[in-house]
Amino acid sequence: EADIYQTPRYLVIGTGKKITLECSQTMGHDKMYWYQQDPGMELHLIHYSYGVNSTEKGDLSSESTVSRIRTEHFPLTLESARPSHTSQYLCASSESSKAFFGQGTRLTVV
Amino acid sequence: KQEVTQIPAALSVPEGENLVLNCSFTDSAIYNLQWFRQDPGKGLTSLLLIQSSQREQTSGRLNASLDKSSGRSTLYIAASQPGDSATYLCAVRPNQAGTALIFGKGTTLSVSS
């Protein structure tokens, strides 16, 4: 149903590395979101965008940054990964009512 | 600040049972409520979306109800199957279209054959 894609699905990376998690959607949605989810915990909003060149920080403090140069693309970047960044990252897009999620990226920082 | 609570945190039932998952939220001023399913290590699959003006939505063996004034929603699963085993998440959208969803911690369901 949903045409929203995240890559990579799994990533193991060393401390201090720069990484970019990719998220793309083909539905033409203006609104896109990044959530972080730790095991057994609720999803926490870390970034969102209401359109091209619009980005905002969410409720959960995050050391990541995002960009929105094209409607369909909303990448998340960690400049210097740390073990505390180990988590699952979920991207979503939304029309006015319904939200669609990607399959997530499980990031492990060693 | 809106908070979403789901009870129970975990539930184990034998195949064929009907069951109810509960979701409560503290601020009744919501735009809509969405139920999702999440399989281990995967993303979220939307199950049902209830607009604030609606009382319930049905899809196959699933029925979701919404009582906005009391801040509650239930997800009813009829004739449960082992394939229903997953974590079920409830999320509310505050009272503006397009604003980010606020999630509960979920109910992890296990259906044994």
Side-chain angles (χ1 to χ4, degrees), chain B residues 20-113:
Chain B
V20 175
L21 308 182
N22 297 292
C23 172
S24 61
F25 44 96
T26 55
D27 187 345
S28 62
I30 64 169
Y31 187 78
N32 61 37
L33 183 146
Q34 200 165 351
W35 281 93
F36 294 90
R37 169 185 172 139
Q38 186 176 32
D39 292 292
K42 299 288 182 65
L44 277 63
T45 300
S46 179
L47 297 174
L48 290 164
L49 170 71
I50 311 178
Q51 301 293 354
S52 61
S53 58
Q54 297 176 322
R55 298 283 292 184
E56 66 177 336
Q57 283 288 323
T58 298
S59 175
R61 294 183 294 109
L62 305 179
N63 175 276
S65 68
L66 175 64
D67 184 344
K68 200 173 75 160
S69 61
S70 67
R72 293 181 184 179
S73 176
T74 61
L75 179 67
Y76 174 82
I77 302 177
S80 58
Q81 302 170 357
D84 294 330
S85 298
T87 296
Y88 291 81
L89 296 165
C90 168
V92 299
R93 189 183 298 281
N95 60 355
Q96 272 188 288
T99 48
L101 293 169
I102 299 171
F103 284 83
K105 291 184 180 181
T107 294
T108 298
L109 173 65
S110 176
V111 181
S112 56
S113 56

Side-chain angles (χ1 to χ4, degrees), chain A residues 1-108:
Chain A
E1 178 193 41
D3 295 316
I4 179 165
Y5 307 101
Q6 290 186 242
T7 58
R9 288 291 315 282
Y10 305 94
L11 180 62
V12 180
I13 198 165
T15 298
K17 298 291 186 183
K18 178 180 178 179
I19 56 170
T20 296
L21 308 184
E22 302 288 348
C23 177
S24 295
Q25 51 97 5
T26 58
M27 297 173 280
H29 292 165
D30 285 329
K31 300 171 183 65
M32 296 188 74
Y33 315 86
W34 276 103
Y35 289 86
Q36 185 173 341
Q37 184 184 31
D38 293 319
M41 301 298 290
E42 63 264 55
L43 279 73
H44 288 286
L45 181 70
I46 50 175
H47 296 283
Y48 60 99
S49 168
Y50 286 170
V52 171
N53 294 326
S54 152
T55 62
E56 300 287 344
K57 287 185 181 290
D59 301 325
L60 184 67
S61 174
S62 174
E63 294 165 342
S64 58
T65 59
V66 292
S67 63
R68 190 84 184 279
I69 298 172
R70 302 197 315 265
T71 298
E72 62 271 23
H73 195 213
F74 190 40
L76 180 145
T77 298
L78 281 165
E79 291 292 334
S80 180
R82 293 210 290 266
S84 60
H85 296 140
T86 295
S87 189
Q88 169 143 280
Y89 293 84
L90 290 160
C91 179
S93 72
S94 175
E95 54 189 40
S96 59
S97 290
K98 193 173 182 179
F100 298 89
F101 280 79
Q103 288 296 298
T105 294
R106 183 164 294 281
L107 173 66
T108 302

